[in-house]
């Protein structure tokens, strides 16, 4: 059963949820992250959210493209703007990942795998990605949490170059999902997790590590031009990934490109 995907319906489903109280819903926009950054520049408050049925310039990290066709998926950005200490702002990517994973578990009954730092996978395929940005805006600092979820799309509709690595919730479960219901659940989950994160990120980190299969996951990562392989040990307080390499040395990785991951006892390893 899928209901109408409109701003009015989403507002009704949200009730008094603080996230999405200020909501802009577009049939099409360039990128919800761009739109929310512009709005933040004009004074958008904490919890403001932008939703688009389609994005014509959906973005991933490092200038990559996010496939955002009309009619099937969820594209949203949520504003965090309440004087969070700068060190904590960079950790919000983990909060967003856990919120997506919990929402998918609740709405679709499947437990996704969180791949460091910003991907959400099911059965080795990417079903969601998170892009956190801190646009320079006047007034209180702003962090934009951009979240794309592949919801009702068919496999053959993905562009050739990601057909083997991407999937939608409906491809995996054989069901169609109500996108407004999914988003209302996502916003409520974000709100609940944010309250705990603001007080102390430890609980959200622990949940992230659970969804990420720590410590039973090994990563091969391209980091500063070198490849590092090691077992996942922890996330440190700055959000860096701690890996134990084959020689037993602890490696701290702030940023890098995951080439491959292997999960003990799970046959869904993928590098994408
Ligand atoms: C991400 O980047 O995964 C972050 C994606 C964030 C998208 C949301 S949608 C709402 C908001 N507004 C925006 O403009 N962006 C955010 P990254 O880790 O760089 O992964 C990008 C790569 O994922 C691409 O290079 C493709 O290989 C692959 N990809 C592109 N579109 C995809 C899709 N719909 N599903 C799965 N994989 C995709």
């Amino acid at each position: 059963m899928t209901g109408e995907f409109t701003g009015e319906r989403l507002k009704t489903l949200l009730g008094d949820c603080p996230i999405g109280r200020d909501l802009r819903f577009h049939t099409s926009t360039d990128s919800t992250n761009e739109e929310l950054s512009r709005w933040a520049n004009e004074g958008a408050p904490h919890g403001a959210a932008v939703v688009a049925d389609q994005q014509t310039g959906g973005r991933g990290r490092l200038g990559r493209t996010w496939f955002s066709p009309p009619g099937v998926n969820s594209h949203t950005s949520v504003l965090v703007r309440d004087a969070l200490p700068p060190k904590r702002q960079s950790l919000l990517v983990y909060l967003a990942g856990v919120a997506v994973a919990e929402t998918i578990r609740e709405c679709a009954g499947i437990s996704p795998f969180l791949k460091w730092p910003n991907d959400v996978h099911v059965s080795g395929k990417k079903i969601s990605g998170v892009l956190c940005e801190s646009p320079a805006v006047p007034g209180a600092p702003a962090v934009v949490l951009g979240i794309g979820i592949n919801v009702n799309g068919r496999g053959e509709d993905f562009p050739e170059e990601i057909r083997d690595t991407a999937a939608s919730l409906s491809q995996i479960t054989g069901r169609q999902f109500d996108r407004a219901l999914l988003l209302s659940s996502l916003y409520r989950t974000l709100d609940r997790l944010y309250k705990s994160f603001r007080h102390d990120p430890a609980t959200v980190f622990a949940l992230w590590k659970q969804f990420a299969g720590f410590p039973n996951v090994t990563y091969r990562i391209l980091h500063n031009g070198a490849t590092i392989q090691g077992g996942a040990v922890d996330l440190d307080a700055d959000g860096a990934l701690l890996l134990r390499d084959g020689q037993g040395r602890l490696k701290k990785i702030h940023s890098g490109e995951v080439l491959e991951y292997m999960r003990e006892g799970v046959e869904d390893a993928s590098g994408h």
Side-chain angles (χ1 to χ4, degrees):
M1 223 305 276
T2 63
E4 252 192 326
F5 192 45
T6 61
E8 292 73 38
R9 179 145 179 276
L10 179 54
K11 285 287 259 182
T12 307
L13 290 169
L14 281 170
D16 60 0
C17 177
I19 294 192
R21 187 176 291 146
D22 295 274
L23 180 74
R24 289 187 180 175
F25 190 101
H26 297 277
T27 310
S28 179
T29 191
D30 51 355
S31 146
T32 55
N33 269 34
E34 287 295 318
E35 166 75 16
L36 188 53
S37 300
R38 291 191 288 265
W39 189 9
N41 203 45
E42 295 156 8
H46 178 72
V50 174
V51 178
D53 180 49
Q54 174 192 29
Q55 298 184 115
T56 53
R59 294 191 277 108
R61 295 177 302 149
L62 311 166
R64 293 189 281 238
T65 301
W66 185 255
F67 174 63
S68 314
V72 283
N73 292 340
S74 164
H75 315 104
T76 190
S77 301
V78 169
L79 193 63
V80 173
R81 191 173 210 186
D82 73 341
L84 196 64
K87 272 196 138 185
R88 229 165 248 197
Q89 290 174 9
S90 61
L91 309 179
L92 285 165
V93 66
Y94 297 115
L95 170 94
V98 172
V100 174
E102 289 201 348
T103 301
I104 288 174
R105 191 171 58 187
E106 181 189 317
C107 297
I110 44 181
S111 194
F113 169 70
L114 291 178
K115 177 192 142 192
W116 185 82
N118 69 319
D119 283 0
V120 184
H121 282 202
V122 175
S123 306
K125 307 256 179 145
K126 182 160 170 172
I127 53 169
S128 169
V130 173
L131 177 67
C132 292
E133 296 180 308
S134 305
V137 293
V143 184
V144 171
L145 307 185
I147 297 170
I149 307 176
N150 300 326
V151 184
N152 290 325
R154 298 176 312 174
E156 58 267 37
D157 297 332
F158 283 110
E160 180 85 52
E161 62 274 20
I162 57 170
R163 210 165 287 160
D164 292 338
T165 57
S168 72
L169 287 178
S170 114
Q171 260 178 285
I172 286 162
T173 61
R175 288 157 48 202
Q176 293 283 300
F177 292 87
D178 182 327
R179 287 179 288 160
L181 216 51
L182 188 82
L183 271 178
S184 65
S185 164
L186 176 67
Y187 290 0
R188 278 183 214 289
T189 309
L190 270 172
D191 180 54
R192 174 174 47 79
L193 290 171
Y194 184 72
K195 284 176 180 140
S196 136
F197 174 90
R198 205 178 186 300
H199 171 67
D200 178 3
T203 312
V204 167
F205 268 32
L207 289 168
W208 192 90
K209 286 186 284 182
Q210 255 172 36
F211 279 111
F214 281 33
N216 301 316
V217 56
T218 299
Y219 277 108
R220 201 156 60 79
I221 295 182
L222 189 60
H223 175 64
N224 292 339
T227 303
I228 297 178
Q229 179 160 330
V233 175
D234 208 348
L235 294 176
D236 79 358
D238 301 335
L241 174 65
L242 300 179
L243 290 186
R244 174 99 49 207
D245 75 7
Q247 281 77 48
R249 292 172 304 210
L250 206 56
K251 302 277 182 181
K252 187 170 172 162
I253 302 178
H254 284 281
S255 64
E257 203 52 46
V258 172
L259 303 171
E260 195 181 8
Y261 66 80
M262 280 86 47
R263 298 171 67 193
E264 235 169 73
V266 184
E267 278 192 35
D268 67 353
S270 163
H272 310 283

